[in-house]
Amino acid sequence: MDEKANQEPAPGGPPAQVERDPEDGRPTRRVRLRSALASAGAAGPPPGPSRPEFWRSPLRGPWLTAVLGIVLLFGITILFVTGLLSYTAYNPDLAAVNDQTPDKGWLGFHLFSWPTSPYWLYRVTQGVHVTLGIVLVPVLLAKLWSVIPKLFAWPPVRSAAQAVERISLLLLVGGAGFEFVTGILNVQLHYVFPGSFYTLHLYGAWVFIGAFTVHVVFRLGRAVRALRAGPRQPAPDSEEAAGLVSPRPAAPTISRRGALGMVGLGSLALFAVTAGQSVGGRWRRTALLAPHGREPGSGPNGFQINKTAASVGIRPGDIGPAWRLTVRGAGRQTDLGYDRLLALPQNDALLPIACVEGWSTPDQHWSGVRLTDLAALVGLGTRTPQVLVESVQRGGSFSSVVLSGEQVRDPRSLLAVRVNGAVISLDHGYPARVIVPGAPGVHNTKWVTRLTFGEPA
């Protein structure tokens, strides 16, 4: 007799042999699980949201869900790619000080060494990343609303494939909420995270995109079929309904196309009050969702900042007459006072500042000493290597950064001492700050005190 047989009995036939544990003779765990699931399915869902008739909206259906899903498919793909570009812009392979995500393993790969041309590249990619993330919020909320009955489907698990799908759905919903919430809080400079934003957002992104990929694999074919079928509602108990159509719908107060229009208007409104922070200039006044309260006022230094001197512990003695710039490299060192720095050849560059929060400034007119000229003071020639830039700031992140050799050698890369014809203000980095084309704002280090060329950071 085959002890592993596990067949359903034929009607009126002898009892089927049940798979049993050879030690105690009881049905195996797999058989007991099947039996429990079968019993749960036969008993029907408990009262409440697990019952299809609990959900009364006449709008929910495969077509509406498919339209929202396709919009998110393209939007989230762009978000993920621009997020990878943002990570790459930090040149994380150069040194640990460039990367705020320790022990990231293979998750921390980056695409390429970040270029200096076009100089507006980071301004565009990060502006798209932040603006699109905010614009997609109404679409995401509408999509979650449209599929909420699926979260309460009964029985919870019917097969291994369905279990994988449901787990991915939980990770998808949780990951989406986490990424969007942390991203928006970062845009608002509201750091209430239980750790580094960079670490949390990176790891959260990989969890989210993994679940998103699984969800797309399972659902893309169904979404395409729903789009082809059009907005008509299938029968509630049909396969095409996918458990989304209510068997007892309430009277409609708006059409499905009207609901999509409302979602679109919500996204358009968010775009109108967000995009100005990336465009900059006079349009910044339209960016009602951008962080405010850190505008230094009018005049040559009247453009956006994130870190004030007071917020990072800059003391008068740090940037007073005793301030020195130390330049090291090739086994040599030289110290420059402020007057000697001003006596070096001065050069100009028109460059913006663009930050991870999505805001950016128009091009500012910077004046200062080229980084290559400073490297030449310690005997380094035209193939100037990377440089470790260190600040006198005592608090906050990114008090130091490593710039690549390509960034150092760009003639627009300066240790700036003036902006728009005036001495750089204290909050903008007096007495000297780095300005590099295409680099994230935090890599344009302020209150610089030391440059170390070519040595490991």
Side-chain angles (χ1 to χ4, degrees):
M1 184 177 292
D2 184 359
E3 294 184 355
K4 293 187 177 180
N6 186 27
Q7 302 174 351
E8 293 294 330
Q17 296 177 358
V18 177
E19 182 179 319
R20 297 181 181 276
D21 192 305
E23 295 184 359
D24 57 16
R26 297 175 59 196
T28 63
R29 182 177 300 175
R30 181 173 63 178
V31 172
R32 295 198 301 270
L33 177 61
R34 286 178 179 172
S35 177
L37 292 177
S39 299
S50 294
R51 293 184 180 270
E53 59 270 18
F54 179 87
W55 306 101
R56 302 290 309 280
S57 174
L59 300 182
R60 287 193 183 93
W63 180 80
L64 178 66
T65 297
V67 172
L68 296 170
I70 292 298
V71 173
L72 288 175
L73 173 61
F74 287 99
I76 287 174
T77 300
I78 295 173
L79 281 181
F80 185 65
V81 171
T82 52
L84 288 179
L85 290 174
S86 179
Y87 182 72
T88 297
Y90 285 73
N91 284 325
D93 64 323
L94 286 179
V97 296
N98 283 25
D99 193 354
Q100 300 293 309
T101 54
D103 303 321
K104 59 196 177 298
W106 62 270
L107 294 179
F109 78 91
H110 70 287
L111 303 176
F112 47 83
S113 294
W114 194 249
T116 56
S117 292
Y119 72 91
W120 41 258
L121 181 61
Y122 187 75
R123 183 183 183 187
V124 170
T125 59
Q126 193 60 15
V128 168
H129 182 76
V130 171
T131 302
L132 180 60
I134 293 175
V135 165
L136 285 178
V137 167
V139 184
L140 177 67
L141 294 177
K143 176 65 160 59
L144 294 177
W145 172 87
S146 75
V147 298
I148 195 170
K150 303 290 289 182
L151 296 177
F152 299 92
W154 190 267
V157 178
R158 292 189 297 271
S159 65
Q162 195 242 4
V164 171
E165 182 187 7
R166 286 186 68 79
I167 292 172
S168 72
L169 186 61
L170 291 175
L171 293 175
L172 178 69
V173 174
F178 181 83
E179 286 298 285
F180 277 80
V181 168
T182 55
I184 291 172
L185 288 175
N186 182 64
V187 169
Q188 295 300 317
L189 306 176
H190 192 52
Y191 299 109
V192 293
F193 317 113
S196 167
F197 163 76
Y198 301 92
T199 304
L200 295 172
H201 206 64
L202 175 72
Y203 291 160
W206 281 113
V207 171
F208 172 58
I209 204 64
F212 181 74
T213 302
V214 171
H215 186 71
V216 169
V217 169
F218 274 100
R219 292 300 184 188
L220 183 59
R222 177 173 288 179
V224 171
R225 291 192 296 271
L227 288 175
R228 288 175 177 171
R232 67 169 183 83
Q233 289 285 64
D237 56 352
S238 66
E239 182 179 355
E240 292 81 6
L244 299 174
V245 180
S246 173
R248 292 174 51 204
T253 57
I254 189 174
S255 69
R256 284 181 287 280
R257 286 192 173 92
L260 287 176
M262 290 184 62
V263 173
L265 286 175
S267 291
L268 185 62
L270 288 176
F271 177 82
V273 296
T274 301
Q277 72 163 347
S278 299
V279 177
R282 62 183 179 180
W283 293 105
R284 183 171 173 77
R285 285 174 287 183
T286 67
L288 303 181
L289 295 185
H292 291 278
R294 296 197 176 186
E295 295 282 359
S298 60
N301 282 275
F303 52 94
Q304 173 76 1
I305 58 173
N306 265 6
K307 296 186 293 188
T308 64
S311 69
V312 293
I314 302 298
R315 299 179 301 193
D318 298 328
I319 44 83
W323 174 86
R324 293 292 182 272
L325 172 69
T326 299
V327 182
R328 296 174 177 171
R332 298 171 58 182
Q333 174 177 316
T334 186
D335 295 313
L336 305 174
Y338 186 67
D339 290 341
R340 188 178 171 192
L341 181 64
L342 295 180
L344 294 174
Q346 303 290 301
N347 294 273
D348 299 327
L350 284 172
L351 297 173
I353 294 177
C355 275
V356 69
E357 295 87 7
W359 66 263
S360 58
T361 72
D363 292 352
Q364 308 296 323
H365 188 167
W366 304 93
S367 300
V369 182
R370 285 176 176 162
L371 296 182
T372 50
D373 290 343
L374 292 168
L377 296 178
V378 290
L380 294 170
T382 56
R383 296 303 299 171
T384 311
Q386 67 186 46
V387 61
L388 168 63
V389 183
E390 297 176 82
S391 171
V392 298
Q393 75 175 67
R394 289 177 170 78
S397 58
F398 294 104
S399 61
S400 59
V401 69
V402 174
L403 302 175
S404 69
E406 180 183 2
Q407 289 175 313
V408 173
R409 292 188 292 271
D410 191 294
R412 295 166 294 183
S413 296
L414 306 176
L415 183 68
V417 293
R418 298 177 68 84
V419 63
N420 300 321
V423 174
I424 288 177
S425 68
L426 178 59
D427 284 340
H428 275 301
Y430 176 87
R433 68 170 295 163
V434 162
I435 186 72
V436 175
V442 290
H443 281 195
N444 293 311
T445 308
K446 299 191 283 189
W447 313 290
V448 174
T449 188
R450 184 179 294 110
L451 301 172
T452 305
F453 290 92
E455 299 177 14

